[in-house]
Amino acid sequence: RQAGCPIVPVGIRGAFEAWPRSSALPRPRRIAARLGRPVDPRAEDALEQVRDSIQALIGDGRYSLRSN
Protein backbone atom coordinates (compact mmCIF):
# COMPACT_ATOMS: atom_id res chain seq x y z
CA ARG A 1 0.00 0.00 0.00
CA GLN A 2 2.78 2.43 0.84
CA ALA A 3 4.44 1.99 -2.54
CA GLY A 4 1.16 2.45 -4.38
CA CYS A 5 2.08 -0.25 -6.89
CA PRO A 6 -0.77 -2.26 -8.36
CA ILE A 7 -1.19 -5.80 -7.02
CA VAL A 8 -1.35 -8.41 -9.79
CA PRO A 9 -3.04 -11.61 -8.57
CA VAL A 10 -1.56 -14.83 -9.93
CA GLY A 11 -3.14 -18.28 -9.95
CA ILE A 12 -0.75 -21.23 -10.33
CA ARG A 13 -1.94 -24.75 -11.11
CA GLY A 14 0.07 -27.94 -11.20
CA ALA A 15 2.93 -26.88 -8.92
CA PHE A 16 2.07 -29.38 -6.19
CA GLU A 17 1.99 -32.24 -8.70
CA ALA A 18 5.37 -31.13 -10.03
CA TRP A 19 6.99 -30.88 -6.61
CA PRO A 20 4.98 -32.48 -3.80
CA ARG A 21 6.18 -32.06 -0.24
CA SER A 22 7.12 -35.74 -0.05
CA SER A 23 9.55 -35.43 -2.98
CA ALA A 24 13.15 -34.26 -2.68
CA LEU A 25 13.28 -33.15 -6.32
CA PRO A 26 10.67 -31.82 -8.74
CA ARG A 27 9.15 -34.04 -11.42
CA PRO A 28 8.53 -32.98 -15.01
CA ARG A 29 4.91 -31.79 -15.03
CA ARG A 30 2.89 -29.15 -16.81
CA ILE A 31 2.35 -25.99 -14.74
CA ALA A 32 -0.01 -23.17 -15.69
CA ALA A 33 -0.04 -19.60 -14.42
CA ARG A 34 -2.84 -17.11 -14.99
CA LEU A 35 -2.66 -13.40 -14.27
CA GLY A 36 -5.58 -11.42 -12.93
CA ARG A 37 -6.40 -7.77 -13.41
CA PRO A 38 -4.25 -5.35 -11.40
CA VAL A 39 -5.80 -4.15 -8.14
CA ASP A 40 -5.23 -0.66 -6.77
CA PRO A 41 -3.75 -1.21 -3.28
CA ARG A 42 -5.21 2.09 -2.07
CA ALA A 43 -8.76 0.84 -2.61
CA GLU A 44 -10.58 0.22 0.63
CA ASP A 45 -11.51 -3.33 -0.41
CA ALA A 46 -8.18 -4.19 -2.09
CA LEU A 47 -7.65 -7.35 -0.02
CA GLU A 48 -11.11 -8.67 -0.90
CA GLN A 49 -10.55 -7.86 -4.58
CA VAL A 50 -7.27 -9.79 -4.57
CA ARG A 51 -8.85 -12.77 -2.76
CA ASP A 52 -11.79 -12.87 -5.17
CA SER A 53 -9.51 -12.60 -8.18
CA ILE A 54 -7.25 -15.43 -7.02
CA GLN A 55 -10.26 -17.61 -6.25
CA ALA A 56 -11.56 -16.98 -9.77
CA LEU A 57 -8.15 -17.81 -11.26
CA ILE A 58 -7.67 -21.13 -9.46
CA GLY A 59 -11.31 -22.14 -8.99
CA ASP A 60 -11.98 -24.98 -6.61
CA GLY A 61 -8.76 -26.83 -7.44
CA ARG A 62 -10.39 -29.47 -9.67
CA TYR A 63 -9.01 -28.99 -13.14
CA SER A 64 -6.97 -30.68 -15.79
CA LEU A 65 -3.92 -29.25 -17.47
CA ARG A 66 -4.29 -30.06 -21.16
CA SER A 67 -1.81 -29.67 -23.95
CA ASN A 68 -2.75 -26.93 -26.39
Side-chain angles (χ1 to χ4, degrees):
R1 285 184 179 228
Q2 291 176 341
C5 297
I7 301 166
V8 179
V10 178
I12 300 173
R13 294 181 175 175
F16 183 78
E17 290 77 15
W19 201 341
R21 292 181 184 179
S22 61
S23 179
L25 296 172
R27 303 179 221 163
R29 296 286 191 268
R30 185 173 298 273
I31 296 177
R34 293 177 59 196
L35 302 175
R37 293 180 184 229
V39 174
D40 183 355
R42 296 168 295 204
E44 196 167 307
D45 64 339
L47 182 58
E48 290 79 20
Q49 287 183 41
V50 171
R51 284 181 186 157
D52 292 345
S53 180
I54 291 172
Q55 184 64 35
L57 290 170
I58 63 174
D60 63 2
R62 291 179 287 177
Y63 58 86
S64 63
L65 296 172
R66 299 179 308 214
S67 299
N68 291 339

